[in-house]
mmCIF file of all heavy atoms in Angstrom:
data_model
loop_
_atom_site.group_PDB
_atom_site.id
_atom_site.type_symbol
_atom_site.label_atom_id
_atom_site.label_comp_id
_atom_site.label_asym_id
_atom_site.label_seq_id
_atom_site.Cartn_x
_atom_site.Cartn_y
_atom_site.Cartn_z
ATOM 1 N N ILE U 1 97.303 88.290 70.678
ATOM 2 C CA ILE U 1 96.915 89.017 71.885
ATOM 3 C C ILE U 1 96.404 90.424 71.590
ATOM 4 O O ILE U 1 95.466 90.908 72.238
ATOM 5 C CB ILE U 1 98.102 89.051 72.873
ATOM 6 C CG1 ILE U 1 97.642 89.528 74.248
ATOM 7 C CG2 ILE U 1 99.246 89.913 72.324
ATOM 8 C CD1 ILE U 1 98.688 89.339 75.322
ATOM 9 N N SER U 2 96.975 91.097 70.584
ATOM 10 C CA SER U 2 96.519 92.450 70.249
ATOM 11 C C SER U 2 95.092 92.423 69.718
ATOM 12 O O SER U 2 94.259 93.268 70.083
ATOM 13 C CB SER U 2 97.452 93.083 69.208
ATOM 14 O OG SER U 2 98.727 93.335 69.768
ATOM 15 N N ASN U 3 94.805 91.457 68.886
ATOM 16 C CA ASN U 3 93.457 91.303 68.346
ATOM 17 C C ASN U 3 92.454 91.041 69.462
ATOM 18 O O ASN U 3 91.345 91.587 69.475
ATOM 19 C CB ASN U 3 93.459 90.166 67.325
ATOM 20 C CG ASN U 3 92.149 90.050 66.580
ATOM 21 O OD1 ASN U 3 91.219 89.435 67.061
ATOM 22 N ND2 ASN U 3 92.088 90.636 65.389
ATOM 23 N N ALA U 4 92.836 90.198 70.430
ATOM 24 C CA ALA U 4 91.951 89.885 71.559
ATOM 25 C C ALA U 4 91.700 91.123 72.419
ATOM 26 O O ALA U 4 90.569 91.377 72.859
ATOM 27 C CB ALA U 4 92.566 88.764 72.399
ATOM 28 N N ARG U 5 92.725 91.914 72.666
ATOM 29 C CA ARG U 5 92.547 93.133 73.457
ATOM 30 C C ARG U 5 91.647 94.122 72.739
ATOM 31 O O ARG U 5 90.810 94.795 73.357
ATOM 32 C CB ARG U 5 93.914 93.771 73.732
ATOM 33 C CG ARG U 5 94.740 93.025 74.766
ATOM 34 C CD ARG U 5 96.157 93.549 74.812
ATOM 35 N NE ARG U 5 96.973 92.914 75.836
ATOM 36 C CZ ARG U 5 98.294 92.926 75.865
ATOM 37 N NH1 ARG U 5 98.960 93.561 74.896
ATOM 38 N NH2 ARG U 5 98.960 92.329 76.837
ATOM 39 N N ASN U 6 91.789 94.230 71.420
ATOM 40 C CA ASN U 6 90.924 95.133 70.656
ATOM 41 C C ASN U 6 89.472 94.722 70.755
ATOM 42 O O ASN U 6 88.580 95.577 70.868
ATOM 43 C CB ASN U 6 91.370 95.166 69.193
ATOM 44 C CG ASN U 6 92.685 95.891 68.991
ATOM 45 O OD1 ASN U 6 93.102 96.700 69.823
ATOM 46 N ND2 ASN U 6 93.364 95.598 67.894
ATOM 47 N N LEU U 7 89.211 93.419 70.716
ATOM 48 C CA LEU U 7 87.831 92.941 70.860
ATOM 49 C C LEU U 7 87.307 93.283 72.247
ATOM 50 O O LEU U 7 86.139 93.684 72.397
ATOM 51 C CB LEU U 7 87.771 91.426 70.630
ATOM 52 C CG LEU U 7 86.359 90.808 70.699
ATOM 53 C CD1 LEU U 7 85.505 91.331 69.550
ATOM 54 C CD2 LEU U 7 86.429 89.286 70.648
ATOM 55 N N GLY U 8 88.154 93.133 73.253
ATOM 56 C CA GLY U 8 87.739 93.488 74.601
ATOM 57 C C GLY U 8 87.363 94.950 74.715
ATOM 58 O O GLY U 8 86.364 95.307 75.359
ATOM 59 N N MET U 9 88.149 95.837 74.095
ATOM 60 C CA MET U 9 87.825 97.266 74.133
ATOM 61 C C MET U 9 86.500 97.551 73.429
ATOM 62 O O MET U 9 85.758 98.454 73.819
ATOM 63 C CB MET U 9 88.955 98.078 73.505
ATOM 64 C CG MET U 9 90.222 98.120 74.348
ATOM 65 S SD MET U 9 91.427 99.351 73.779
ATOM 66 C CE MET U 9 91.921 98.638 72.202
ATOM 67 N N LYS U 10 86.213 96.786 72.408
ATOM 68 C CA LYS U 10 84.960 96.977 71.669
ATOM 69 C C LYS U 10 83.753 96.723 72.554
ATOM 70 O O LYS U 10 82.728 97.434 72.464
ATOM 71 C CB LYS U 10 84.938 96.043 70.458
ATOM 72 C CG LYS U 10 83.653 96.098 69.649
ATOM 73 C CD LYS U 10 83.703 95.125 68.475
ATOM 74 C CE LYS U 10 82.393 95.135 67.702
ATOM 75 N NZ LYS U 10 82.425 94.187 66.557
ATOM 76 N N TYR U 11 83.845 95.732 73.444
ATOM 77 C CA TYR U 11 82.704 95.345 74.272
ATOM 78 C C TYR U 11 82.755 95.919 75.685
ATOM 79 O O TYR U 11 81.839 95.724 76.475
ATOM 80 C CB TYR U 11 82.605 93.820 74.345
ATOM 81 C CG TYR U 11 82.173 93.189 73.039
ATOM 82 C CD1 TYR U 11 83.059 92.443 72.272
ATOM 83 C CD2 TYR U 11 80.877 93.369 72.552
ATOM 84 C CE1 TYR U 11 82.673 91.877 71.068
ATOM 85 C CE2 TYR U 11 80.479 92.820 71.348
ATOM 86 C CZ TYR U 11 81.382 92.073 70.609
ATOM 87 O OH TYR U 11 80.993 91.524 69.409
ATOM 88 N N ALA U 12 83.813 96.633 76.030
ATOM 89 C CA ALA U 12 83.938 97.187 77.379
ATOM 90 C C ALA U 12 82.869 98.254 77.626
ATOM 91 O O ALA U 12 82.550 99.047 76.750
ATOM 92 C CB ALA U 12 85.330 97.777 77.568
ATOM 93 N N LYS U 13 82.349 98.274 78.853
ATOM 94 C CA LYS U 13 81.319 99.233 79.231
ATOM 95 C C LYS U 13 81.806 100.248 80.255
ATOM 96 O O LYS U 13 81.113 101.227 80.537
ATOM 97 C CB LYS U 13 80.108 98.492 79.813
ATOM 98 C CG LYS U 13 79.439 97.515 78.849
ATOM 99 C CD LYS U 13 78.302 96.782 79.541
ATOM 100 C CE LYS U 13 77.624 95.786 78.604
ATOM 101 N NZ LYS U 13 76.533 95.043 79.294
ATOM 102 N N GLY U 14 82.973 100.014 80.847
ATOM 103 C CA GLY U 14 83.451 100.867 81.925
ATOM 104 C C GLY U 14 83.929 102.227 81.458
ATOM 105 O O GLY U 14 84.342 102.399 80.308
ATOM 106 N N ASP U 15 83.883 103.187 82.361
ATOM 107 C CA ASP U 15 84.441 104.508 82.071
ATOM 108 C C ASP U 15 85.956 104.434 81.927
ATOM 109 O O ASP U 15 86.556 105.223 81.202
ATOM 110 C CB ASP U 15 84.098 105.485 83.202
ATOM 111 C CG ASP U 15 82.597 105.714 83.342
ATOM 112 O OD1 ASP U 15 81.893 105.679 82.308
ATOM 113 O OD2 ASP U 15 82.136 105.927 84.473
ATOM 114 N N TYR U 16 86.555 103.482 82.651
ATOM 115 C CA TYR U 16 88.001 103.285 82.625
ATOM 116 C C TYR U 16 88.313 101.852 82.215
ATOM 117 O O TYR U 16 87.551 100.924 82.512
ATOM 118 C CB TYR U 16 88.615 103.585 83.992
ATOM 119 C CG TYR U 16 88.327 104.981 84.482
ATOM 120 C CD1 TYR U 16 87.320 105.223 85.418
ATOM 121 C CD2 TYR U 16 89.042 106.072 83.992
ATOM 122 C CE1 TYR U 16 87.043 106.505 85.859
ATOM 123 C CE2 TYR U 16 88.771 107.367 84.424
ATOM 124 C CZ TYR U 16 87.763 107.574 85.357
ATOM 125 O OH TYR U 16 87.494 108.856 85.771
ATOM 126 N N ILE U 17 89.448 101.682 81.536
ATOM 127 C CA ILE U 17 89.836 100.367 81.026
ATOM 128 C C ILE U 17 91.217 100.007 81.554
ATOM 129 O O ILE U 17 92.140 100.824 81.545
ATOM 130 C CB ILE U 17 89.841 100.358 79.487
ATOM 131 C CG1 ILE U 17 88.401 100.446 78.960
ATOM 132 C CG2 ILE U 17 90.522 99.099 78.942
ATOM 133 C CD1 ILE U 17 88.300 100.478 77.443
ATOM 134 N N ALA U 18 91.331 98.751 82.020
ATOM 135 C CA ALA U 18 92.619 98.207 82.450
ATOM 136 C C ALA U 18 92.842 96.885 81.723
ATOM 137 O O ALA U 18 91.899 96.270 81.206
ATOM 138 C CB ALA U 18 92.638 97.993 83.965
ATOM 139 N N PHE U 19 94.102 96.448 81.700
ATOM 140 C CA PHE U 19 94.465 95.198 81.048
ATOM 141 C C PHE U 19 95.253 94.324 82.018
ATOM 142 O O PHE U 19 96.011 94.817 82.856
ATOM 143 C CB PHE U 19 95.312 95.460 79.796
ATOM 144 C CG PHE U 19 94.625 96.287 78.751
ATOM 145 C CD1 PHE U 19 94.790 97.677 78.721
ATOM 146 C CD2 PHE U 19 93.802 95.705 77.802
ATOM 147 C CE1 PHE U 19 94.166 98.452 77.768
ATOM 148 C CE2 PHE U 19 93.159 96.483 76.839
ATOM 149 C CZ PHE U 19 93.342 97.850 76.818
ATOM 150 N N ALA U 20 95.060 93.019 81.886
ATOM 151 C CA ALA U 20 95.858 92.058 82.659
ATOM 152 C C ALA U 20 96.140 90.867 81.761
ATOM 153 O O ALA U 20 95.419 90.619 80.785
ATOM 154 C CB ALA U 20 95.120 91.624 83.926
ATOM 155 N N ASP U 21 97.190 90.129 82.080
ATOM 156 C CA ASP U 21 97.495 88.888 81.370
ATOM 157 C C ASP U 21 97.011 87.709 82.197
ATOM 158 O O ASP U 21 96.860 87.794 83.419
ATOM 159 C CB ASP U 21 98.996 88.768 81.097
ATOM 160 C CG ASP U 21 99.455 89.684 79.976
ATOM 161 O OD1 ASP U 21 98.576 90.276 79.311
ATOM 162 O OD2 ASP U 21 100.667 89.826 79.772
ATOM 163 N N GLN U 22 96.814 86.587 81.538
ATOM 164 C CA GLN U 22 96.159 85.448 82.169
ATOM 165 C C GLN U 22 96.960 84.797 83.290
ATOM 166 O O GLN U 22 96.380 84.150 84.164
ATOM 167 C CB GLN U 22 95.847 84.390 81.112
ATOM 168 C CG GLN U 22 97.095 83.785 80.471
ATOM 169 C CD GLN U 22 96.789 82.826 79.346
ATOM 170 O OE1 GLN U 22 95.666 82.755 78.856
ATOM 171 N NE2 GLN U 22 97.792 82.059 78.922
ATOM 172 N N ASP U 23 98.272 84.968 83.310
ATOM 173 C CA ASP U 23 99.108 84.224 84.252
ATOM 174 C C ASP U 23 99.972 85.118 85.136
ATOM 175 O O ASP U 23 100.951 84.660 85.723
ATOM 176 C CB ASP U 23 100.008 83.246 83.512
ATOM 177 C CG ASP U 23 100.836 83.912 82.421
ATOM 178 O OD1 ASP U 23 100.611 85.103 82.159
ATOM 179 O OD2 ASP U 23 101.693 83.233 81.834
ATOM 180 N N ASP U 24 99.604 86.408 85.251
ATOM 181 C CA ASP U 24 100.352 87.323 86.103
ATOM 182 C C ASP U 24 99.616 87.540 87.420
ATOM 183 O O ASP U 24 98.556 86.968 87.664
ATOM 184 C CB ASP U 24 100.578 88.657 85.382
ATOM 185 C CG ASP U 24 101.560 88.535 84.236
ATOM 186 O OD1 ASP U 24 102.393 87.611 84.266
ATOM 187 O OD2 ASP U 24 101.491 89.353 83.307
ATOM 188 N N GLU U 25 100.170 88.409 88.247
ATOM 189 C CA GLU U 25 99.593 88.655 89.562
ATOM 190 C C GLU U 25 99.144 90.113 89.675
ATOM 191 O O GLU U 25 99.952 91.035 89.551
ATOM 192 C CB GLU U 25 100.619 88.339 90.656
ATOM 193 C CG GLU U 25 100.078 88.501 92.069
ATOM 194 C CD GLU U 25 101.092 88.129 93.139
ATOM 195 O OE1 GLU U 25 102.190 87.646 92.773
ATOM 196 O OE2 GLU U 25 100.793 88.333 94.329
ATOM 197 N N VAL U 26 97.848 90.291 89.910
ATOM 198 C CA VAL U 26 97.300 91.618 90.180
ATOM 199 C C VAL U 26 97.368 91.827 91.681
ATOM 200 O O VAL U 26 96.756 91.084 92.444
ATOM 201 C CB VAL U 26 95.857 91.740 89.674
ATOM 202 C CG1 VAL U 26 95.318 93.140 89.963
ATOM 203 C CG2 VAL U 26 95.779 91.448 88.179
ATOM 204 N N LEU U 27 98.126 92.826 92.115
ATOM 205 C CA LEU U 27 98.380 93.006 93.537
ATOM 206 C C LEU U 27 97.185 93.626 94.260
ATOM 207 O O LEU U 27 96.293 94.213 93.642
ATOM 208 C CB LEU U 27 99.636 93.859 93.727
ATOM 209 C CG LEU U 27 100.900 93.296 93.065
ATOM 210 C CD1 LEU U 27 102.100 94.191 93.353
ATOM 211 C CD2 LEU U 27 101.196 91.870 93.539
ATOM 212 N N GLU U 28 97.182 93.485 95.560
ATOM 213 C CA GLU U 28 96.062 93.924 96.387
ATOM 214 C C GLU U 28 95.811 95.422 96.223
ATOM 215 O O GLU U 28 96.739 96.229 96.198
ATOM 216 C CB GLU U 28 96.362 93.604 97.850
ATOM 217 C CG GLU U 28 95.199 93.862 98.791
ATOM 218 C CD GLU U 28 95.508 93.450 100.217
ATOM 219 O OE1 GLU U 28 96.626 92.949 100.464
ATOM 220 O OE2 GLU U 28 94.627 93.619 101.080
ATOM 221 N N ASN U 29 94.516 95.755 96.094
ATOM 222 C CA ASN U 29 94.071 97.156 95.955
ATOM 223 C C ASN U 29 94.631 97.851 94.714
ATOM 224 O O ASN U 29 94.707 99.085 94.668
ATOM 225 C CB ASN U 29 94.446 97.970 97.196
ATOM 226 C CG ASN U 29 93.688 97.527 98.426
ATOM 227 O OD1 ASN U 29 92.497 97.180 98.342
ATOM 228 N ND2 ASN U 29 94.343 97.504 99.569
ATOM 229 N N ALA U 30 95.005 97.065 93.709
ATOM 230 C CA ALA U 30 95.600 97.647 92.502
ATOM 231 C C ALA U 30 94.671 98.658 91.842
ATOM 232 O O ALA U 30 95.079 99.798 91.528
ATOM 233 C CB ALA U 30 95.956 96.539 91.519
ATOM 234 N N TYR U 31 93.423 98.279 91.630
ATOM 235 C CA TYR U 31 92.528 99.153 90.873
ATOM 236 C C TYR U 31 91.989 100.291 91.726
ATOM 237 O O TYR U 31 91.660 101.360 91.199
ATOM 238 C CB TYR U 31 91.423 98.321 90.233
ATOM 239 C CG TYR U 31 91.999 97.307 89.269
ATOM 240 C CD1 TYR U 31 91.829 95.937 89.462
ATOM 241 C CD2 TYR U 31 92.770 97.721 88.186
ATOM 242 C CE1 TYR U 31 92.393 95.010 88.597
ATOM 243 C CE2 TYR U 31 93.348 96.803 87.322
ATOM 244 C CZ TYR U 31 93.151 95.450 87.530
ATOM 245 O OH TYR U 31 93.728 94.542 86.676
ATOM 246 N N HIS U 32 91.913 100.094 93.016
ATOM 247 C CA HIS U 32 91.581 101.203 93.906
ATOM 248 C C HIS U 32 92.675 102.270 93.816
ATOM 249 O O HIS U 32 92.384 103.477 93.751
ATOM 250 C CB HIS U 32 91.443 100.699 95.347
ATOM 251 C CG HIS U 32 91.207 101.793 96.340
ATOM 252 N ND1 HIS U 32 89.970 102.375 96.523
ATOM 253 C CD2 HIS U 32 92.056 102.439 97.187
ATOM 254 C CE1 HIS U 32 90.063 103.322 97.441
ATOM 255 N NE2 HIS U 32 91.309 103.385 97.864
ATOM 256 N N THR U 33 93.933 101.826 93.808
ATOM 257 C CA THR U 33 95.072 102.745 93.701
ATOM 258 C C THR U 33 95.033 103.515 92.381
ATOM 259 O O THR U 33 95.223 104.731 92.344
ATOM 260 C CB THR U 33 96.395 101.966 93.808
ATOM 261 O OG1 THR U 33 96.469 101.327 95.083
ATOM 262 C CG2 THR U 33 97.596 102.884 93.634
ATOM 263 N N LEU U 34 94.785 102.803 91.286
ATOM 264 C CA LEU U 34 94.771 103.452 89.973
ATOM 265 C C LEU U 34 93.590 104.411 89.829
ATOM 266 O O LEU U 34 93.739 105.527 89.317
ATOM 267 C CB LEU U 34 94.728 102.382 88.879
ATOM 268 C CG LEU U 34 96.022 101.589 88.674
ATOM 269 C CD1 LEU U 34 95.774 100.345 87.838
ATOM 270 C CD2 LEU U 34 97.098 102.454 88.021
ATOM 271 N N LEU U 35 92.426 103.990 90.285
ATOM 272 C CA LEU U 35 91.254 104.859 90.182
ATOM 273 C C LEU U 35 91.418 106.130 91.014
ATOM 274 O O LEU U 35 90.934 107.198 90.626
ATOM 275 C CB LEU U 35 89.997 104.102 90.621
ATOM 276 C CG LEU U 35 89.437 103.094 89.612
ATOM 277 C CD1 LEU U 35 88.413 102.187 90.276
ATOM 278 C CD2 LEU U 35 88.818 103.817 88.419
ATOM 279 N N ALA U 36 92.116 106.009 92.137
ATOM 280 C CA ALA U 36 92.340 107.189 92.982
ATOM 281 C C ALA U 36 93.146 108.255 92.248
ATOM 282 O O ALA U 36 93.045 109.447 92.551
ATOM 283 C CB ALA U 36 93.055 106.779 94.271
ATOM 284 N N GLY U 37 93.928 107.842 91.271
ATOM 285 C CA GLY U 37 94.705 108.804 90.485
ATOM 286 C C GLY U 37 93.841 109.713 89.637
ATOM 287 O O GLY U 37 94.286 110.788 89.207
#
């Protein structure tokens, strides 16, 4: 998983980076809340 995340960071284009796992739950307005910070 660490190797996969590193590859993702290599190809990411966003100003900000977030991570999620394949089988978890991202709650409503999660990234709006984080970006507001």
Side-chain angles (χ1 to χ4, degrees):
I1 192 169
S2 292
N3 188 276
R5 286 170 177 162
N6 289 339
L7 182 66
M9 289 192 292
K10 177 181 177 180
Y11 290 110
K13 299 177 181 179
D15 297 327
Y16 302 100
I17 290 179
F19 300 93
D21 285 351
Q22 64 185 13
D23 54 353
D24 290 336
E25 183 178 355
V26 180
L27 303 182
E28 187 176 359
N29 293 322
Y31 299 119
H32 176 79
T33 298
L34 288 166
L35 284 167

